[in-house]
Structure formats: C-alpha cells, structure tokens
Amino acid sequence: MRTIAHQLIIICFISFLFNSCSSQKEGNIKEHNNPNIIYILADDLGYGDIQSFNPEGKIPTPNIDKMAANGVMFTDAHTSSSVCTPTRYGILTGRYNWRSSLKSGVLGGYSKSLITPNRTTVADLLKTQGYTTAFIGKWHLGWDWQFNTETEVKQINSLHTIQDVNYKAPIKNGPSTHGFDYSFGFCGSLDMPPYVYVENDYATMEPTKTTINKDSKGFWRQGPTSNDFVHETVLQDLTNKAINYIEEKSKADKPFFLYFPLPAPHTPILPSEEFLGKSKTNAYGDFVMQVDDVVRQIRETLKKQGVSENTLLVFTSDNGCSPRADFKELEKVAHDPSYVFRGMKADIYEGGHHVPFVVEWPNKALKNSSSNQIICTTDFFATCADITGYQIKDSEAEDSYSMLSLITNNNTKDTREYTVHHSINGSFAIRQGDWKLCVSKGSAGWSYPKPQEIKNKNLDLPEMQLFNLKDDIGETKNLMAEYPKKAAELKEALKKIILEGRSTKGTIQTNEEMDNWKQIEPIIN
C-alpha cells in the first residue's frame, strides 16, 4: 500500500510539474504575441527613388519593392519636417518637432540633446510592454559630450566645429537616457565631426587622426576621426551590427525593437566598390542601391532566424532628396528623386516631406496593398501603443495617430483630420484632405524661390499659398484668391494646433520656448 501511495504521490507531483510548465509556456507564448519591431530610416532618400512608388524611376530597388509587395505601401506619407533632426524627434516622441526647443534647422555633431529627459519615447513605451530595445546608426538628436574645455578649437561653419571632447567620459542624455537598452552609432551626419562611434554611452575609440576627404562630388568632410570609423564602410558596419543584434535577440525570451536610422544616401555620397556604377545613373543612384541592399540583408536575416512572420518592419526616409544628389545629372537619365512633386529636401513643398513609406508584417499586415491615406512619421508612437496595448498619457505623443487599422484592415477612413508640415527655416504648412495651406513665401527651403532670393531680389510674392493637391500635385497654382474662406479655415486650425500644444484629443499641453518664436507670428496674429 505504501508503495502504491508513493507512486500516486510521484505521479501527482509529475503531473503538477507538467501542468505548471505548460501554463508557463502558454503564458510565454501569449507574451510573445507582440511582434518584433524594426524601423529602418533612410537619410535624404526621395519618393521617386523607389521603383514601387515611381515605376518610371531608373534606380533599381528590388528589395524594397519585394517588401512593398509583401506589405503595405503608403503613398501619402509625410515626415514631420523637411530636414533630418526634427523628423527623428517626431518619430521617437510622437510629437511635432517644432514643439521642442528646435524651431528651425538641424543640430550639429557636438549639439546637446534635443529630447528632454522627462519626454517619453517609443523606446520607453516598448520597454514597459516587455521589449528589449536598441538604437544602431545615425542619432542626430544631440547628446551631451563631456568637454575638456568649453572653447571651440576650430570653427568650420555653423554646423561644423571641432571641440575638445573628453572621449573617455560617458555621454549623457543620449540613447540610453531615452529608452534604449543597447546603442551603437554616431551623433551627427557623416559630414559632421566628430567621427567616433559611441556604444552604450562610451566612445569605442578615441580619435587619433583628422580626416579631410571628398566624395565624387567634392563634398568634403573634416574632423577628428577614430581608427575604427571609416566613412566608406560605415553603412555596412552598421548593418553588420544590426544583423548581429537581430540574431542575438531572435533567440531571447522577449520581443525586440530596433531603431535603425541609416546615414545614407546622405552626403558624403560614398557607395562601396560593389555598387559603383551599378545603377547606371550616378553615384547617388549607386548609393540608393546600397541602401536597398541593406533592406535585403535585414529581411534575409529575419527569415533565417525564423522571426520574419511576426516582425513589423518599417522602411521610410527622413525627408525628401537633397540637391547633392545632382538633379541635373539624374535628369539626363530621366530620373527625378522628387517624382512629380515640387521641391526637394528642406522645402515646405511636397518634395521636402512627401516620402516613401512601407510596412511589412506577414502575420498581420495586408499584402501587396496600397493606402492613399495621409500619415505622418509622428504616427509610429501611437501605432506601437495600439499594437502593445499601451495607454498613452496626455503628456505623451501629442501628435501621433495609430496607423494599425490602415496596416491590417484596409481602413479607408481618415485617421487624421489635419497634418502639419515644417520646413528648414521653420515655416509651416497644414494639410486637410486635398487642401494644403503654406504659410510662407516660396519654398521656405532650398528650391526656387528661396527665402534669401526673395529678400535679395525683392520678389513680390503672396504671404501664403493655397493648393488643391488632387488637382495640382505639382503645387503650381496658388488658390488664395479663389478660396479665401478655405485658407482662413486652415489657418485657424493651424493656430489651434500650435497653441493647444497638441493635435490629438486630450488636455492642453505646453510647447517649449514660446518666446520670440517668429515663425508663428503670421499664424496667431
């Protein structure tokens, strides 16, 4: 009897262990229903550079095209700014960049952090939902270097200085402050010193030399450079880091988020030897093809690791194409990086902020689908919150609308009534449906008529420009005289969005540094 009793006890104990393990396993499976998330951000890539968005384009982009065929293309996607630093701020915070202290322009390589320590980022959000998080690439949001002296050693121009950095000291207010468990990258652009990798707040090597080199267009770069930082190999070096991270985290017991902002095809335009001449356009086209190959490597890694089905992969650009791509040279091969849009990087016109945007998520997203709904790069925050069940606080993501229904359900309803655009000189535009009001004379950026040209030539231009993009996607006809009431309505809506500190529903919030904000004077007065 004792033997039988002992056997029954053992059987019950084994059954208990089995059921406990099964319950734990089921719990883990439920926890892992949230997808891995990867956000690939190209730098200065035009809408017309991707063949799935521009069938007449001359630069082959087979890998981004495959991603689009297996996911959702957004054909009316916009960055929150027409230049890089502000757009990056909006992606990570879900807040329009002009609400921060940066009202115009971009940061430099030695600039302090733009994101305040108490501002919630999408990485912070995802960490609360059980994610491990990483940044790999070009930060360009500022972080706080520790200086040996406060004086500038050499001033090159307004963005390029060489300062006496203590490279042995950790940076402060960088990626680790803003929710990233792991970080590897550099602070500015590849034409902004210092040229030093920083991994988890520490420089990987101290600079031992000064680089003074030029790309194929004579675009120079100069500044202190560490031996492990080679401009020509940076793009692939970062891709290798990203691949290693995916391989490691694919085996882990929680989902991962990888924010992967690329330094290309921004200047200096330095395609590797493998891609030189491959596009049969120019060096810029070759560099775009190398960016496309980065997408190939990431997608292949996800498939090899067996996690591609439940990984939400985003590909987009931080603004329109830069004139450094050489539009005249590309015109000779009938390629236009801005597609049918007016303008380029820095402009308030569509060419400045209308970008390609692709989402692939095999488990949930639509396949081979195209959406013409208006979205903004600030919408990433609310989308991640929607996916993971995070409740956004009133003081978070004030300008972010979830795209989840557009990604998974082919929703044809507008997710956002208004979208605000912003140029390099801090000028505003507001979009509602087919209508767009630009509160600026000319481009407010780098294409004709530029602000300085308007001033120097004393050009007599209207203070505002109203376009109907459905009838006039090239923004050629100002309709202010014909539709003054519509212009007034849009201006009033823009005023409300600015002054209330948010465009989403919620309590009124405060913008940073409202004093002497000249760009809003024609809007609020």
Side-chain angles (χ1 to χ4, degrees):
M1 292 293 293
R2 180 180 297 177
T3 302
I4 294 173
H6 284 168
Q7 288 176 342
L8 287 172
I9 291 171
I10 291 170
I11 291 170
C12 290
F13 180 68
I14 292 172
S15 177
F16 169 77
L17 288 176
F18 177 79
N19 289 331
S20 297
C21 291
S22 297
S23 298
Q24 185 178 13
K25 186 177 180 182
E26 287 173 6
N28 285 342
I29 291 172
K30 185 177 181 181
E31 180 183 5
H32 294 319
N33 281 341
N34 284 335
N36 303 311
I37 300 172
I38 301 176
Y39 197 106
I40 304 176
L41 183 67
D43 197 356
D44 288 6
L45 179 80
Y47 185 103
D49 292 325
I50 307 302
Q51 287 198 329
S52 47
F53 288 83
N54 176 18
E56 301 301 317
K58 297 302 186 290
I59 303 172
T61 51
N63 300 292
I64 298 169
D65 297 340
K66 288 176 184 176
M67 183 181 165
N70 196 43
V72 185
M73 288 172 50
F74 289 90
T75 59
D76 207 348
H78 300 264
T79 53
S80 60
S81 170
S82 58
V83 284
C84 46
T85 295
T87 291
R88 292 156 202 271
Y89 178 91
I91 291 169
L92 292 184
T93 67
R95 185 185 191 220
Y96 283 136
N97 44 272
W98 40 266
R99 298 196 193 281
S100 75
S101 60
L102 187 67
K103 306 303 184 187
S104 62
V106 300
L107 298 183
Y110 295 99
S111 298
K112 290 186 176 296
S113 177
L114 178 62
I115 306 175
T116 56
N118 62 343
R119 171 59 54 179
T120 304
T121 68
V122 69
D124 291 320
L125 175 169
L126 291 171
K127 281 185 72 172
T128 69
Q129 303 304 93
Y131 280 72
T132 182
T133 58
F135 148 74
I136 297 173
K138 169 184 171 176
W139 184 243
H140 208 184
L141 283 162
W143 57 45
D144 300 351
W145 295 101
Q146 305 302 303
F147 297 105
N148 293 318
T149 65
E150 291 298 325
T151 58
E152 296 173 351
V153 176
K154 184 176 181 181
Q155 181 79 32
I156 300 174
N157 61 35
S158 61
L159 287 178
H160 299 72
T161 60
I162 297 176
Q163 294 184 314
D164 189 13
V165 174
N166 179 1
Y167 291 102
K168 292 181 179 179
I171 64 161
K172 297 180 180 179
N173 295 324
S176 65
T177 304
H178 301 300
F180 291 99
D181 299 316
Y182 174 77
S183 60
F184 180 91
F186 54 97
C187 192
S189 294
L190 287 182
D191 52 15
M192 294 179 180
Y195 305 121
V196 176
Y197 286 127
V198 171
E199 185 172 28
N200 294 333
D201 295 343
Y202 285 87
T204 56
M205 295 181 70
E206 291 189 57
T208 58
K209 58 186 177 181
T210 298
T211 55
I212 306 175
N213 296 305
K214 296 181 179 180
D215 64 14
S216 61
K217 297 296 179 185
F219 195 87
W220 55 265
R221 58 191 185 278
Q222 176 177 336
T225 308
S226 59
N227 285 332
D228 62 341
F229 196 104
V230 180
H231 281 72
E232 289 79 1
T233 65
V234 165
L235 181 57
Q236 188 57 49
D237 292 344
L238 295 172
T239 303
N240 292 341
K241 280 283 184 182
I243 289 170
N244 291 341
Y245 179 82
I246 293 169
E247 290 174 342
E248 177 187 346
K249 297 306 176 183
S250 293
K251 300 179 180 68
D253 59 355
K254 56 167 66 172
F256 64 83
F257 166 51
L258 171 60
Y259 172 54
F260 187 28
L262 311 180
H266 188 287
T267 53
I269 297 171
L270 295 167
S272 65
E273 187 174 349
E274 176 187 352
F275 291 92
L276 283 175
K278 195 170 184 178
S279 71
K280 298 180 181 178
T281 57
N282 67 358
Y284 171 79
D286 298 340
F287 215 15
V288 170
M289 287 196 70
Q290 190 170 348
V291 168
D292 180 73
D293 188 68
V294 170
V295 174
R296 175 191 65 79
Q297 293 178 67
I298 296 299
R299 294 180 77 241
E300 287 182 357
T301 301
L302 291 170
K303 289 178 181 178
K304 184 178 180 181
Q305 296 302 313
V307 296
S308 62
E309 293 298 305
N310 198 31
T311 295
L312 187 152
L313 179 63
V314 178
F315 177 86
T316 188
S317 179
D318 64 345
N319 44 246
C321 181
S322 165
R324 291 285 182 177
D326 199 334
F327 280 60
K328 289 184 178 180
E329 191 171 76
L330 290 167
E331 188 179 1
K332 294 177 182 177
V333 293
H335 181 79
D336 189 346
S338 293
Y339 186 47
V340 295
F341 308 136
R342 181 177 180 179
M344 58 184 65
K345 173 184 178 178
D347 290 353
I348 204 66
Y349 297 132
E350 292 293 288
H353 49 80
H354 197 147
V355 294
F357 198 107
V358 185
V359 177
E360 182 182 25
W361 183 11
N363 269 5
K364 296 284 182 71
L366 298 167
K367 304 286 195 302
N368 197 24
S369 179
S370 179
S371 172
N372 63 1
Q373 297 298 302
I374 302 168
I375 64 167
C376 182
T377 44
T378 56
D379 295 337
F380 181 57
F381 191 113
T383 305
C384 289
D386 203 0
I387 289 170
T388 62
Y390 178 87
Q391 296 299 311
I392 299 175
K393 301 178 182 66
D394 268 351
S395 59
E396 299 172 338
E398 294 92 332
D399 305 295
S400 190
Y401 294 79
S402 176
M403 298 162 46
L404 185 58
S405 64
L406 301 178
I407 294 169
T408 61
N409 297 330
N410 200 21
N411 179 20
T412 57
K413 295 181 180 179
D414 293 338
T415 57
R416 43 169 56 243
E417 182 177 8
Y418 299 104
T419 303
V420 178
H421 310 307
H422 202 232
S423 76
I424 191 170
N425 77 347
S427 294
F428 287 86
I430 183 169
R431 173 86 179 273
Q432 182 191 36
D434 298 329
W435 293 97
K436 177 182 177 182
L437 178 70
C438 302
V439 188
S440 68
K441 295 181 176 181
S443 72
W446 291 347
S447 72
Y448 182 85
K450 304 176 187 177
Q452 197 60 41
E453 287 175 323
I454 295 171
K455 182 179 179 181
N456 292 344
K457 297 178 181 179
N458 198 26
L459 298 178
D460 184 19
L461 297 175
E463 297 291 335
M464 295 191 290
Q465 305 166 80
L466 179 67
F467 302 108
N468 186 302
L469 299 182
K470 182 179 180 180
D471 299 331
D472 179 26
I473 192 61
E475 297 173 284
T476 61
K477 186 178 181 181
N478 187 352
L479 300 174
M480 284 292 298
E482 291 91 331
Y483 298 94
K485 185 178 179 181
K486 187 62 186 179
E489 289 174 358
L490 289 172
K491 182 181 176 184
E492 189 62 28
L494 179 56
K495 176 181 177 180
K496 184 175 184 289
I497 289 170
I498 292 172
L499 295 182
E500 292 190 353
R502 69 181 319 121
S503 56
T504 56
K505 294 180 180 178
T507 58
I508 292 175
Q509 299 296 310
T510 304
N511 301 314
E512 298 167 37
E513 299 187 13
M514 289 284 289
D515 295 339
N516 301 316
W517 191 0
K518 295 181 180 179
Q519 292 92 340
I520 66 169
E521 291 177 2
I523 300 167
I524 65 174
N525 295 331

